Amino acid sequence: MTVRRDFKEPARCRPDLVIGREELFADARERLASGGSVLLHGPAGIGKSTVLRALAEEYGATARTVLRCSATESESHLPFLALADLLGLVLDEVSPRLPAAQRTALESALTGRGESSLQRDGLALRLAVLSALRALAVHGPVLVVADDLQWLDPASAELLGFAARRLEGTPVQLLCAVRTEGRQSQEYDRHLRACPPGTLAVRLGPLSRTQVAELLDHRGHGCLSRSTVREIHRTSGGNPLFALELGRALADSPTPPRPGEPLPVPTSLRALVLSRLDMLSVEARRTLLVASAGARPTPALLHAAGRKNAEAECAQAAELGLLATEPDAPAVRFAHPLISAALYAEAPAHERRAAHAALSTAASDPIERARHLALATTGTDPEVAARLAEAAALARDRGAPSVAAQLGLLAARHTPADGAPSPQERRLTAAEDAITAGEVDLARDIAREVLARATVPADRVRAWMIVIDTAGHTMAEVDAVFPQALADAGDDPRLLALVHYQLAWRALIVEGDFTEAREAAAHAAGLAARGEDRRTELLSLAFQAQTETLMGHPEAPRTIKRALKEPQDPRVAWHHNGAGSARFRWLVMGDQLAEARAAVTGLLREVRRRGSVESEVHFLRGLAETELRAGHCGRALELARDGLRLARDSGIGETASAMLTSLAEASGGDVDRALALAREAAHHAEEDGDQMYLSRALGALGYAQLVAGDPAGTVRSLRRVRTLELGLGITDPARGRWHGDLAEALVLIGETAEAQDVIDVSREHALRLGRESVLAVLDRSEALVRAARGDREAALAQLTSAQDRLGKLGYGLEEARAAFALARLRGGPGAGPGVFEEATRLFRRCRALPWLRQVDESPATAVPEPAPAVPEALDALHALAAMERQVAALVMEGATNREIAARLFISVKTVEATLTRVYRKLGIRSRVDIVRLAAGHRAP
């Protein structure tokens, strides 16, 4: 028998489960699958019921009987109600199997006939519930699902706990959820003790900001700006129910909150968190309002704001659970951020202004004083606007551009229409601060608002530049902006310089034309010099230098020197598109790794001080790349993951960060993740029409495929990179450093002629530009070509030289790869495991885990040798068993062992064992020889 289940959630809600809950859901699933029980716990709204229903739906299908109850607070006084929910539908089935006394007691409790009670029939009832569960379990597994244990009537809770503690060895599992406020909650301990021995307790914690954004997007609130999502996350404390309610309130609100104002808190949440507010005295409530208006309220601040009895009133609020009690902490902290927001939203406007007025003189920080003054003032006021603008400049200097943007918007709001600076100028400054803070949605909205109002050409062009800046690598989407910006610029060289600088970026990103990009940047630099706009001139020169560096243009060193000449603009010096960044790129490509590391570390330190999110993402990638080149794979992976996390949180530079993290994962982490990230980066670059980063992403994909043992995939990816870079006009092989990987993969599939062609063409450019590390890598690849053609001695000499040169240049991972190739070439039928000692040592020094696994799995002679005679080997294919022919055929197509296992529904170990038999029957040594068979068979 299976009891009716109604735990299935609406289809639109199901994906919420996996947002931020993947790990704990997997733990709970594993415990249930092993026959154990699970107790979910956490505060109200944290998602316990959602996870409970999903687990019940999944594991209820495996149980013969599912018993459920879901208590409510209003019914918790009714005795045996939860027990009736659990056993009511199976009473007829189990009653005949119970002793008479137990049956009578249980029927009386469940039906209400008679006067059964725990006091009167305690033992009989306890034994009856235990016997009933055991009787059901005789015919198959039983799953007991109980939500909101905290509301179970005491009698049912006692009976269920008694039975649960005695069910060990019986196929009865409990899946329960209970509300708890803290990890040390006594209620949680009590309920855990009432569960079967070995029950897994799973605490659901708050979601991260990224997870809240994903949840809101899934529920149809994806149009909210990142700054708004950040505020929702802060106010909700990561609670999914609170976050969704706040998101819904914002979506329904005709006017979003103004700068400095808290989020609108819906009535449903106000009632939830402020139910105890009426128990406060009037004065205590006013004190809490002042605390809710302050950024970092303390008793001293409340005293200074006129709240003379702040300590006693805060103590009263703490007793009611509105404030958190922290004896050692001076701050006044609300028990949940939502309480503060709801309290503020509940207060009348005049009381809120009074609280801000008091704080405008009480706060010690000038930024806070200015913010409170603005929120206490209605209408325009030039003095208030000036103070706010000064506070914004101070916040900017402190490295808090997000705060500067909010203060700038407040300044604009209080600036008279005929003020100087104008309201539009102050809005644009706020938008530029928002870009620095990574809040591109806010910046774009401000710029659009200015364009709807502004008539001054300088304001309009500046706004158009913000619109273009916020498009990032999706510049194709704002193509229509450029003619309008040029029209607004007229013949003003300063304004034209701004537009032509962005046109240089468009030529690079959208058109993929380095020559046009270089010319546009040079033109912008000339216009800016005529207009005496040093900032735009420096940015244009830096962009020109970057482009020339990637092109391998001979003017690159001279352009970098021009970009570094005094006078400098501090806003450009540390910017990710400034001369410092161009110099760093030149150092990396020129094998000056120590200098490059010092340069990018200094830049990263400065942009973090200034709070520039986009520049921080960029320089994190730069430092990770430098560490990767130096063979510090563990450090590079850590930096790359940090950069990717920041890029995804801010929505800035995600494609580039995914590409770089793929390279780091393939070198020192998880190869499968490397493949996924590279494919993600390539997909987004293609969607954005960004050919420059498409070639970089495909280069990362080719490298990951090579590490994964898929040379055919590497060839497909890197052949496309070669075509793309030829079209882009990129000739410097130090830009992507994919050339050696392509040559190596070509050797592995038997295409030695094409491999030599790649080496010869790349070597010509590397010699012209003096790229010593590239030349050493190309020599390593050429040694593999020679080995495949049977010239073993020349290959050994060339590999030895390449390894030595790479070590002296500081390229640790490339040095280790050369040592690995050398060991494989030196190995033979009589070679022992010691042949790989040097490669193992070097890979361990680099923490290059994927490469270490390759060493462990490497046969003694894995470097390709001359291909076996094709006709004889092809004839031998007919002697293979059916499974062996299928596996060999998929290898010929370039499939990896994992892909073969998936397609044939067998394990990877079975694939490996089958291939071993294939090698023996065909008289070959590796899967590379099978690929050669396919190439020879297809040749005319």
Side-chain angles (χ1 to χ4, degrees):
M1 166 187 176
T2 302
V3 176
R4 176 178 61 86
R5 307 176 188 84
D6 57 1
F7 289 100
K8 188 173 183 180
E9 282 193 275
R12 68 182 182 85
C13 299
R14 292 285 290 117
D16 292 356
L17 165 68
V18 298
I19 298 174
R21 307 298 188 202
E22 297 86 350
E23 186 175 344
L24 66 86
F25 189 73
D27 292 342
R29 178 193 282 122
E30 184 178 342
R31 182 57 58 94
L32 289 170
S34 65
S37 297
V38 173
L39 175 66
L40 306 168
H41 68 105
I46 205 67
K48 302 180 299 297
S49 296
T50 301
V51 176
L52 180 93
R53 285 192 290 267
L55 287 168
E57 181 183 338
E58 182 172 337
Y59 284 93
T62 66
R64 178 184 179 272
T65 306
V66 177
L67 309 174
R68 72 168 184 90
C69 70
S70 183
T72 62
E73 184 177 11
S74 62
E75 298 171 341
S76 60
H77 66 286
L78 300 173
F80 305 121
L81 182 61
L83 187 65
D85 286 341
L86 286 171
L87 298 177
L89 294 177
V90 295
L91 183 60
D92 293 341
E93 180 183 351
V94 299
S95 286
R97 302 181 222 169
L98 302 181
Q102 294 179 24
R103 181 169 64 251
T104 300
L106 184 60
E107 288 178 349
S108 177
L110 296 186
T111 62
R113 295 191 295 270
E115 297 179 0
S116 180
S117 68
L118 273 181
Q119 184 175 3
R120 176 181 171 185
D121 303 312
L123 181 58
L125 268 175
R126 288 175 172 86
L127 293 175
V129 173
L130 179 60
S131 298
L133 291 173
R134 285 175 173 166
L136 290 170
V138 167
H139 300 289
V142 177
L143 179 65
V144 178
V145 183
D147 198 3
D148 284 320
L149 284 184
Q150 74 277 3
W151 303 132
L152 253 64
D153 62 274
S156 296
E158 168 61 28
L159 292 170
L160 186 59
F162 175 87
R165 291 190 295 272
R166 291 162 176 80
L167 286 170
E168 194 168 3
T170 305
V172 178
Q173 297 171 261
L174 268 66
L175 173 58
C176 306
V178 63
R179 181 185 300 180
T180 57
E181 295 305 324
R183 291 181 181 275
Q184 307 303 320
S185 169
Q186 293 179 353
E187 287 295 301
Y188 154 66
D189 291 337
R190 178 171 67 83
H191 287 295
L192 185 59
R193 286 195 299 270
C195 290
T199 294
L200 175 67
V202 178
R203 177 170 178 78
L204 277 71
L207 300 180
S208 68
R209 187 172 69 181
T210 303
Q211 291 161 351
V212 165
E214 187 180 352
L215 177 64
L216 290 167
D217 183 55
H218 167 62
R219 289 300 189 91
H221 305 311
C223 59
L224 297 172
S225 70
R226 290 181 183 274
S227 56
T228 300
V229 171
R230 183 184 63 195
E231 189 61 22
I232 288 175
H233 177 257
R234 188 196 66 79
T235 304
S236 69
N239 185 296
L241 172 65
F242 297 172
L244 287 170
E245 288 297 312
L246 289 167
R248 188 176 295 114
L250 279 167
D252 294 341
S253 175
T255 55
R258 294 188 297 182
E261 292 183 342
L263 298 178
V265 180
T267 305
S268 58
L269 291 185
R270 293 190 200 185
L272 180 65
V273 299
L274 298 181
S275 56
R276 288 160 287 187
L277 197 63
D278 291 339
M279 301 174 67
L280 284 174
S281 67
V282 173
E283 290 303 311
R285 186 165 178 160
R286 286 176 180 164
T287 295
L288 288 195
L289 175 60
V290 175
S292 72
R296 293 173 296 278
T298 62
L301 177 66
L302 295 176
H303 272 293
R307 308 311 304 163
K308 297 180 180 179
N309 299 315
E311 285 90 348
E313 289 159 355
C314 286
Q316 182 189 0
E319 288 177 6
L320 294 172
L322 293 166
L323 294 180
T325 54
E326 296 179 359
D328 298 331
V332 175
R333 190 170 68 82
F334 285 88
H336 192 282
L338 190 61
I339 296 174
S340 173
L343 180 66
Y344 188 93
E346 191 83 1
H350 70 276
E351 289 188 11
R352 287 186 291 197
R353 286 196 297 272
H356 285 296
L359 289 167
S360 69
T361 56
S364 59
D365 186 86
I367 292 176
E368 278 301 293
R369 288 200 300 271
R371 185 178 75 88
H372 288 302
L373 179 61
L375 295 172
T377 306
T378 57
T380 58
D381 186 322
E383 184 179 342
V384 171
R387 284 185 58 182
L388 284 163
E390 290 169 6
L394 180 59
R396 194 178 303 121
D397 188 57
R398 287 181 182 178
S402 180
V403 174
Q406 295 297 331
L407 291 168
L409 288 174
L410 285 170
R413 194 174 95 197
H414 290 286
T415 301
D418 57 352
S422 70
Q424 307 309 338
E425 289 178 89
R426 283 182 163 148
R427 286 190 179 92
L428 290 168
T429 301
E432 289 161 355
D433 284 327
I435 289 177
T436 302
E439 297 178 8
V440 292
D441 295 337
L442 175 62
R444 186 186 303 113
D445 290 344
I446 296 170
R448 296 288 186 190
E449 182 183 352
V450 169
L451 286 166
R453 301 179 180 182
T455 56
V456 177
D459 290 344
R460 292 187 60 80
V461 171
R462 195 173 162 195
W464 287 127
M465 296 307 99
I466 291 168
V467 171
I468 294 168
D469 267 341
T470 56
H473 283 258
T474 60
M475 289 187 80
E477 297 178 4
V478 293
D479 258 356
V481 165
F482 288 99
Q484 299 176 71
L486 285 168
D488 283 328
D491 56 1
D492 186 328
R494 290 176 64 93
L495 301 182
L496 285 170
L498 291 170
V499 182
H500 282 278
Y501 172 68
Q502 294 290 1
L503 282 169
W505 277 105
R506 183 192 175 281
L508 182 63
I509 293 172
V510 180
E511 301 297 335
D513 190 328
F514 273 70
T515 301
E516 183 183 341
R518 174 181 177 269
E519 291 171 356
H523 183 50
L527 286 167
R530 279 174 48 204
E532 298 182 349
D533 179 358
R534 184 61 174 163
R535 180 173 184 269
T536 304
E537 182 185 7
L538 289 171
L539 282 171
S540 301
L541 287 170
F543 180 82
Q544 182 183 342
Q546 292 257 31
T547 307
E548 290 171 348
T549 298
L550 296 174
M551 294 171 69
H553 197 284
E555 286 294 316
R558 280 188 287 274
T559 308
I560 291 174
K561 286 181 181 178
R562 287 178 62 201
L564 290 170
K565 280 183 64 175
E566 295 294 338
Q568 286 290 312
D569 185 317
R571 294 171 297 171
V572 178
W574 53 264
H575 195 272
H576 60 279
N577 289 327
S581 180
R583 177 176 174 270
F584 158 72
R585 178 55 50 196
W586 176 259
L587 290 170
V588 168
M589 294 177 68
D591 299 327
Q592 299 178 63
L593 296 182
E595 295 89 339
R597 182 187 294 109
V600 75
T601 300
L603 290 166
L604 182 59
R605 187 185 304 116
E606 180 63 17
V607 299
R608 280 176 167 165
R609 187 186 75 79
R610 293 176 178 269
S612 175
V613 174
E614 185 172 6
S615 292
E616 181 178 357
V617 170
H618 182 90
F619 291 131
L620 273 171
R621 284 199 307 271
L623 184 54
E625 180 186 353
T626 307
E627 298 293 2
L628 198 57
R629 298 278 174 246
H632 306 150
C633 298
R635 174 64 174 150
L637 183 58
E638 180 184 328
L639 289 163
R641 286 174 175 172
D642 286 347
L644 181 59
R645 190 159 42 245
L646 182 58
R648 285 186 166 156
D649 281 350
S650 62
I652 294 173
E654 292 181 75
T655 298
S657 297
M659 176 275 299
L660 196 281
T661 309
S662 171
L663 290 171
E665 291 282 358
S667 298
D670 184 309
V671 179
D672 287 338
R673 179 162 168 76
L675 290 165
L677 285 168
R679 289 187 175 112
E680 173 194 323
H683 171 72
H684 287 311
E686 287 203 279
E687 273 193 338
D688 296 342
D690 185 346
Q691 295 187 62
M692 183 173 67
Y693 268 109
L694 176 58
S695 70
R696 296 295 305 274
L698 289 171
L701 178 59
Y703 173 65
Q705 288 167 324
L706 183 65
V707 179
D710 179 16
T714 298
V715 169
R716 286 193 299 272
S717 298
L718 297 187
R719 275 176 176 163
R720 192 175 173 201
V721 175
R722 194 181 188 193
T723 303
L724 278 168
E725 291 204 351
L726 185 64
L728 289 166
I730 297 172
T731 59
D732 191 337
R735 185 249 183 181
R737 296 179 182 268
W738 49 266
H739 313 74
D741 293 336
L742 175 55
E744 183 174 333
L746 286 165
V747 171
L748 288 171
I749 66 168
E751 300 288 351
T752 55
E754 185 181 348
Q756 189 63 56
D757 178 65
V758 170
I759 292 165
D760 291 342
V761 173
S762 305
R763 181 179 282 139
E764 181 183 345
H765 293 299
L767 284 167
R768 174 175 61 85
L769 296 165
R771 304 304 193 211
E772 292 298 328
S773 63
V774 174
L775 289 167
V777 168
L778 292 173
D779 279 355
R780 185 186 69 204
S781 303
E782 189 171 53
L784 301 181
V785 174
R786 287 178 168 172
R789 291 173 173 173
D791 192 354
R792 188 171 181 275
E793 292 307 315
L796 285 169
Q798 196 167 17
L799 276 173
T800 302
S801 170
Q803 180 186 342
D804 181 62
R805 286 149 57 205
L806 287 165
K808 288 177 179 176
L809 288 167
Y811 283 76
L813 182 57
E814 299 294 359
E815 177 192 5
R817 287 179 62 180
F820 185 28
L822 195 58
R824 296 164 85 186
L825 185 56
R826 283 174 174 159
V835 73
F836 290 107
E837 281 184 4
E838 175 71 357
T840 300
R841 181 184 69 80
L842 291 173
F843 280 136
R844 279 182 180 155
R845 186 180 70 183
C846 294
R847 288 180 59 191
L849 302 182
W851 286 104
L852 274 171
R853 284 190 285 273
Q854 282 205 26
V855 174
D856 292 341
E857 298 166 2
S858 179
T861 53
V863 173
E865 295 190 7
V870 172
E872 293 87 345
L874 285 173
D875 290 341
L877 285 173
H878 299 294
L880 298 178
M883 175 62 75
E884 293 166 351
R885 283 199 303 274
Q886 284 181 292
V887 170
L890 290 171
V891 170
M892 289 177 179
E893 292 177 13
T896 64
N897 287 2
R898 188 176 285 109
E899 290 168 343
I900 294 170
R903 289 171 66 174
L904 298 182
F905 301 99
I906 58 178
S907 70
V908 174
K909 286 188 177 180
T910 301
V911 175
E912 291 167 351
T914 304
L915 280 173
T916 300
R917 293 195 300 273
V918 170
Y919 300 155
R920 187 173 62 252
K921 290 182 179 181
L922 296 182
I924 59 178
R925 296 186 179 91
S926 70
R927 62 189 294 126
V928 176
D929 294 329
I930 297 179
V931 175
R932 285 192 180 125
L933 292 179
H937 184 57
R938 287 191 293 267

